[in-house]
């Protein structure tokens, strides 16, 4: 069993890490100036698991020792002695491998518990918030909390919008922009995909490229949500950008690991917001299919190299 663990680490985990790096590098290059398609990062994540697909279904041939070679008792003793030394060495390696596996699962459990604690904290904040009737034409519940955080969506089957305390001080058009942005997240099921990415990156924390892909996905998701919100509700781009800046100025940033879709995400830095504002003013219209095909072509080229 332990020997299987060692083979799995060498034959699968290491190639997975290397291939994930290639997939991330290809996606980053393709989306360097136009990271507005979340699907490209789903493609990168799926492509990173290609090393786990068996390329051959042939049976494993176990070498059998040549009996003619071990006819003499002296040679037999030497072989047994060498086998004992090899077995002792393998036992040490097996112990290290077992310790690594136990440590991995233990640390993963701690990270999942922490994620669950963050989720429960957000749920508690939401339950303690005040219900408002800003969406008379929608079935989505909207609440205002007592904290100055970014607007966000929480919940799975019945998602609802949690607005910050400063929401009441904003102009009516800015309030509408914030609400409609969050409604677009709900329409796109972003609140579910964000949670899914967060769980995956927690389970696969051993691979740093999965976390990087998650961050890039959040960036692309927000670009897409901005574009769709402006188009669906015919918002003025200048007003939309101004509402985003107001939210940034007034929000006290939450934990970057929040598993929720929020107007100004903690996963984004100052440069990301500059790019986001640029895309709001000058949106691009590149096809998601074109980007995905370009990604796989580049990936295949790297594999050939």
């Amino acid at each position: 069993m332990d020997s299987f663990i060692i083979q799995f680490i060498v034959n699968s985990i290491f190639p997975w890490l290397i291939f994930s790096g290639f997939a991330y590098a290809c996606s980053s290059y393709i989306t360097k100036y136009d990271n507005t398609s979340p699907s490209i990062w789903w493609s990168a994540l799926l492509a990173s698991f290609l090393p786990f697909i068996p390329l051959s279904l042939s049976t494993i041939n176990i070498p059998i020792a040549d009996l003619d070679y071990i006819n003499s008792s002296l040679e037999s003793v030497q072989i047994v002695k060498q086998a004992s030394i090899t077995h002792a060495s393998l036992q040490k390696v097996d112990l290290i491998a077992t310790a690594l596996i136990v440590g991995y699962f233990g640390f993963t459990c701690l990270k999942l518990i922490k994620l669950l604690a963050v989720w429960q904290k957000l749920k508690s904040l939401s339950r303690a918030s005040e219900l408002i009737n800003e969406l008379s034409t929608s079935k989505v519940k909207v609440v205002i909390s007592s904290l100055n955080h970014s607007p966000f969506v929480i919940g799975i089957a019945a998602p609802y919008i949690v607005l910050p305390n400063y929401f009441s001080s904003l102009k009516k058009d800015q309030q509408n922009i914030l609400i409609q942005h969050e409604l677009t997240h709900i329409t796109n099921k972003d609140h579910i995909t964000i949670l899914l990415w967060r769980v995956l990156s927690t389970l696969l924390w051993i691979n740093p490229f999965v976390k990087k892909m998650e961050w890039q996905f959040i960036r692309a998701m927000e670009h897409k949500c901005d574009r769709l919100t402006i188009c669906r509700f015919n918002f003025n781009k200048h007003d939309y950008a101004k509402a985003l800046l107001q939210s940034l100025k007034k929000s006290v940033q939450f934990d970057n690991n929040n598993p929720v879709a929020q107007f100004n995400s903690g996963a984004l830095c100052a440069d990301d917001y500059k790019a986001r504002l640029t895309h709001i003013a000058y949106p691009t219209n590149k096809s998601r299919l074109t980007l995905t095909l370009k990604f796989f072509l580049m990936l295949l080229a790297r594999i050939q190299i």
Side-chain angles (χ1 to χ4, degrees):
M1 179 63 182
D2 289 338
S3 298
F4 171 76
I5 293 174
I6 297 170
Q7 291 178 6
F8 181 75
I9 292 174
V10 174
N11 297 332
S12 298
I13 299 298
F14 288 161
W16 174 49
L17 293 172
I18 295 171
F19 205 80
S20 296
F22 283 146
Y24 178 76
C26 290
S27 301
S28 297
Y29 180 79
I30 292 170
T31 61
K32 185 176 181 180
Y33 301 107
D34 183 31
N35 187 18
T36 59
S37 178
S39 60
I40 194 73
W41 297 106
W42 281 117
S43 300
L45 180 65
L46 292 174
S48 69
F49 285 94
L50 288 177
F52 289 100
I53 299 176
L55 299 179
S56 174
L57 298 178
S58 59
T59 57
I60 299 174
N61 296 321
I62 301 175
I64 301 174
D66 185 1
L67 296 179
D68 293 334
Y69 178 74
I70 55 174
N71 284 332
S72 67
S73 58
L74 179 60
E75 288 176 340
S76 299
V77 170
Q78 289 176 341
I79 290 173
V80 171
K81 183 178 179 181
Q82 185 63 38
S84 300
I85 295 172
T86 304
H87 179 69
S89 300
L90 284 175
Q91 279 188 321
K92 292 180 181 179
V93 175
D94 288 344
L95 286 173
I96 295 173
T98 303
L100 288 173
I101 295 298
V102 172
Y104 167 77
F105 282 106
F107 193 63
T108 300
C109 288
L110 289 176
K111 290 177 75 67
L112 287 173
I113 291 171
K114 182 181 178 181
L115 181 63
L116 180 60
V118 173
W119 180 263
Q120 290 299 328
K121 181 180 177 181
L122 292 174
K123 292 287 286 186
S124 298
L125 173 65
S126 306
R127 285 192 292 266
S129 300
E130 179 184 354
L131 180 66
I132 62 172
N133 296 317
E134 290 290 333
L135 299 176
S136 57
T137 60
S138 175
K139 296 180 181 180
V140 178
K141 184 173 73 172
V142 181
V143 298
I144 294 185
S145 76
S146 59
L147 301 178
N148 286 329
H149 52 75
S150 170
F152 64 89
V153 176
I154 193 168
I156 300 176
Y160 55 97
I161 300 171
V162 183
L163 299 171
N165 188 47
Y166 64 77
F167 178 81
S168 301
S169 65
L170 297 176
K171 297 178 180 178
K172 283 295 181 182
D173 60 332
Q174 293 177 340
Q175 291 180 351
N176 188 37
I177 287 172
L178 263 61
I179 290 176
Q180 299 303 340
H181 178 93
E182 299 307 321
L183 281 176
T184 303
H185 274 312
I186 294 174
T187 302
N188 296 339
K189 307 297 183 186
D190 291 335
H191 57 292
I192 297 176
T193 53
I194 282 289
L195 181 60
L196 180 59
W197 268 99
R198 191 54 43 85
V199 172
L200 285 173
S201 64
T202 300
L203 291 173
L204 305 176
W205 61 268
I206 194 172
N207 188 339
F209 296 106
V210 175
K211 186 67 176 178
K212 290 178 180 293
M213 291 177 190
E214 180 198 0
W215 288 342
Q216 294 284 14
F217 172 84
I218 293 173
R219 293 175 173 93
M221 179 195 71
E222 290 297 341
H223 284 306
K224 179 182 177 182
C225 189
D226 290 335
R227 183 180 69 250
L228 291 178
T229 305
I230 292 172
C231 291
R232 286 176 181 173
F233 302 100
N234 198 28
F235 287 130
N236 179 278
K237 295 175 183 178
H238 175 76
D239 293 338
Y240 189 95
K242 191 173 181 180
L244 174 60
L245 288 173
Q246 284 296 316
S247 182
L248 282 171
K249 290 177 181 178
K250 295 178 179 292
S251 295
V252 176
Q253 202 171 79
F254 267 164
D255 190 335
N256 290 354
N257 292 319
N258 280 341
V260 293
Q262 51 193 47
F263 190 70
N264 44 300
S265 173
L268 306 181
C269 64
D271 289 338
D272 295 321
Y273 283 110
K274 289 178 183 178
R276 188 172 169 185
L277 291 171
T278 300
H279 280 289
I280 290 172
Y282 307 102
T284 55
N285 296 310
K286 289 188 178 180
S287 166
R288 287 183 295 175
L289 179 60
T290 301
L291 288 174
T292 303
L293 288 175
K294 190 176 180 181
F295 161 73
F296 279 111
L297 287 173
M298 182 172 288
L299 194 63
L300 287 172
R302 282 181 175 267
I303 292 173
Q304 294 298 323
I305 292 173

